[in-house]
Amino acid sequence: MTPAAAVPKAKGLNCPNCGGALEMRGFEHTLTIVCPQCLSILDAKDPNLQILQKFKEKTRIPALIPLGSRGQWKGAAYETIGFQQRAVHVDGVTYSWGEYLLFNPYKGFRYLTEYNGHWNDVRTLRALPQPGGWDGKPRFLFEGVSYTHFQSAQAKTTYVLGEFPWRVQRGETVKADDYIAPPLMLSSETTEAETVWSRGEYTSGDEIWRAFKLAGSPPVPSGIFANQPSPHAGRPKELWRICRILLLLTVAAMLATCSFSGDQEVFRQRYSYAPGVPGEASFVTPRFDLNGRPSNVQLSIRTDLNNNWAYFSFALINEGTGQAYDFGREVSYYSGRDSDGSWTEGSSGDTAYIPSVPAGHYYLRVEPEMAPGARAMDYELRLRRDVPRTWYFWLVGFLLLIPPVYASIRQRTYEFQRWQESDYASASSSGDD
């Protein structure tokens, strides 16, 4: 690691246009230097600092990282020696961003770019990326990573300050293409003379502020940047993996429950009931036995009701202990036809469960009730012991699906918002989990 103090001192010069003092920090690497007083662009290789371009506008753009700022960045001491603002014009809107040129005499150059509070650490590539196919969007491969095309635009240099290792010029335009694999980005800049490739990595502003010991706080990021890593990336995949395991365990538990359940029929009998007939409507069934461990009892009611209702009062009574399980069920079924066609409402049958009934001798007390004058009803009562119930397994399965589905929706929403800023607006991301 090269300490900040080891960076050679800047060379002092004067601007031929305004006489202002200049500092050359890039030494023999510098081809162009911009006067900080009059913003004239000078030829750093000319002994007389020939003026290449004069700045006619009065507006000055403040640099978030002041020129001359030094800091430890990526294991080496870097100094900020240049700043330029560039812009693209898309659908009648101008989007501008800043680029900060960093220099270390032993490590060379790198860039920090900023747009709406989003930062990237950028290095120029020595090797060329290779075309990586097409799946609706062009792709490029570099060092084993596939990058997907995000956008193309004409980038124009609108402001420069400091010094640069190339012939910088205000108004210069290049064709820029960006390819992303968050948090990485490949960018190509093409002129009539050449194409230059670079690779950026998304970086937090807080990290830059700490490295260069800058005052205040970095600008708060706004929106979602092209290669900004998703806070949801990888989360849906992990949750789906856990969900699959838990669903398999739930299915296994459900199958085991069904296998070990007795599901035994202990009583079945058909009856009739006519409202208004003299005599006591209630009666008791013959005795039946409930054997084995304490488990549920299922009572099924099947009737021939049509456009009518019936109410049943039940009591399952232990003959030996007198313990009673009281409950009631209503059955109603209606049907007809109207302008929309045939319709039905309700059901002619019903089912009730009594949980955890101990073994013993039992009988059922039944008291049916119907509307006065209703047609007589035939019905069947059926009792089963230790009936497997799987609804709660299905409920558990549904609840297990909620976290991964929710995470997937959030991930897809994030990617959708990202790609709304690309050349493929309203298209989903090809990088979804």
Side-chain angles (χ1 to χ4, degrees):
M1 185 182 348
T2 305
V7 177
K9 294 183 179 179
K11 178 182 178 181
L13 300 169
N14 293 96
C15 173
N17 183 53
C18 67
L22 305 174
E23 284 187 301
M24 191 176 297
R25 300 178 176 88
F27 312 107
E28 71 278 1
H29 301 286
T30 301
L31 295 182
T32 308
I33 186 170
V34 181
C35 174
Q37 286 78 31
C38 65
L39 300 182
S40 296
I41 299 178
L42 311 174
D43 184 354
K45 292 302 182 182
D46 188 298
N48 299 316
L49 294 177
Q50 178 185 358
I51 300 174
L52 301 176
Q53 189 178 32
K54 291 186 178 181
F55 186 68
K56 299 179 181 179
E57 300 180 17
K58 296 182 179 180
T59 304
R60 287 176 175 262
I61 299 174
L64 296 175
I65 307 178
L67 298 190
S69 298
R70 294 185 179 186
Q72 291 291 328
W73 186 252
K74 304 302 180 182
Y78 280 93
E79 184 175 8
T80 308
I81 68 170
F83 167 69
Q84 68 173 340
Q85 185 187 70
R86 307 176 83 181
V88 296
H89 196 69
V90 180
D91 296 333
V93 181
T94 299
Y95 302 90
S96 300
W97 70 93
E99 297 183 356
Y100 298 83
L101 178 61
L102 307 183
F103 175 67
N104 177 287
Y106 309 105
K107 299 288 186 178
F109 297 94
R110 68 193 311 145
Y111 307 84
L112 293 175
T113 66
E114 183 272 336
Y115 172 74
N116 276 359
H118 300 278
W119 293 84
N120 268 274
D121 176 36
V122 181
R123 296 294 299 266
T124 301
L125 300 182
R126 298 182 181 273
L128 292 179
Q130 300 300 313
W134 177 284
D135 61 352
K137 308 180 186 78
R139 290 179 177 270
F140 269 85
L141 294 173
F142 185 73
E143 294 184 349
V145 179
S146 177
Y147 296 80
T148 304
H149 184 253
F150 189 80
Q151 64 184 2
S152 299
Q154 295 292 323
K156 181 180 180 180
T157 301
T158 58
Y159 186 85
V160 290
L161 186 65
E163 53 191 280
F164 302 87
W166 70 89
R167 296 294 185 186
V168 69
Q169 185 178 11
R170 283 183 294 269
E172 180 183 29
T173 302
V174 300
K175 181 181 181 295
D177 289 281
D178 294 327
Y179 301 80
I180 63 168
L184 303 176
M185 172 186 285
L186 279 183
S187 298
S188 68
E189 297 183 359
T190 303
T191 64
E192 294 182 356
E194 63 178 349
T195 296
V196 177
W197 285 88
S198 61
R199 181 172 66 176
E201 182 175 4
Y202 192 87
T203 303
S204 73
D206 290 332
E207 185 179 358
I208 295 172
W209 253 242
R210 288 193 299 269
F212 289 89
K213 297 180 175 59
L214 301 177
S217 302
V220 178
S222 174
I224 299 174
F225 194 62
N227 65 324
Q228 183 178 359
S230 170
H232 315 294
R235 183 66 173 166
K237 184 177 181 180
E238 177 63 18
L239 287 176
W240 278 114
R241 185 186 69 83
I242 296 173
C243 180
R244 283 193 292 268
I245 294 173
L246 295 178
L247 283 176
L248 287 175
L249 293 175
T250 302
V251 171
M254 182 174 66
L255 295 176
T257 299
C258 293
S259 299
F260 290 106
S261 295
D263 196 11
Q264 177 189 12
E265 182 176 286
V266 296
F267 177 82
R268 178 188 288 195
Q269 186 65 52
R270 295 187 65 85
Y271 300 95
S272 295
Y273 173 70
V277 175
E280 179 66 41
S282 64
F283 65 94
V284 295
T285 67
R287 190 186 74 175
F288 49 85
D289 294 330
L290 300 181
N291 301 315
R293 60 184 174 83
S295 58
N296 65 16
V297 172
Q298 179 197 72
L299 171 62
S300 298
I301 311 166
R302 297 293 176 262
T303 75
D304 62 355
L305 285 174
N306 188 23
N307 288 321
N308 210 336
W309 62 269
Y311 184 83
F312 295 86
S313 295
F314 294 106
L316 179 65
I317 303 172
N318 188 313
E319 186 179 62
T321 65
Q323 182 181 7
Y325 301 87
D326 294 288
F327 59 98
R329 308 300 292 182
E330 181 177 350
V331 180
S332 62
Y333 179 74
Y334 296 88
S335 64
R337 176 178 289 274
D338 57 20
S339 59
D340 295 326
S342 300
W343 59 270
T344 62
E345 180 180 347
S347 173
S348 60
D350 198 7
T351 302
Y353 287 89
I354 307 171
S356 192
V357 179
H361 304 299
Y362 286 84
Y363 59 88
L364 188 67
R365 187 179 68 225
V366 184
E367 184 176 355
E369 179 184 349
M370 296 179 67
R375 185 176 65 86
M377 168 186 64
D378 292 330
Y379 62 97
E380 179 186 74
L381 301 179
R382 183 188 184 198
L383 283 165
R384 301 182 65 84
R385 170 72 158 171
D386 196 14
V387 178
R389 303 192 67 187
T390 60
W391 66 268
Y392 47 86
F393 291 107
W394 293 105
L395 176 61
V396 169
F398 173 77
L399 295 176
L400 288 174
L401 288 172
I402 292 177
V405 169
Y406 178 69
S408 297
I409 291 174
R410 294 189 68 185
Q411 167 72 353
R412 289 182 178 275
T413 301
Y414 189 93
E415 293 300 325
F416 179 82
Q417 293 174 347
R418 179 203 305 279
W419 286 89
Q420 286 301 101
E421 302 299 323
S422 74
D423 292 347
Y424 310 91
S426 298
S428 63
S429 169
S430 61
D432 291 349
D433 281 9

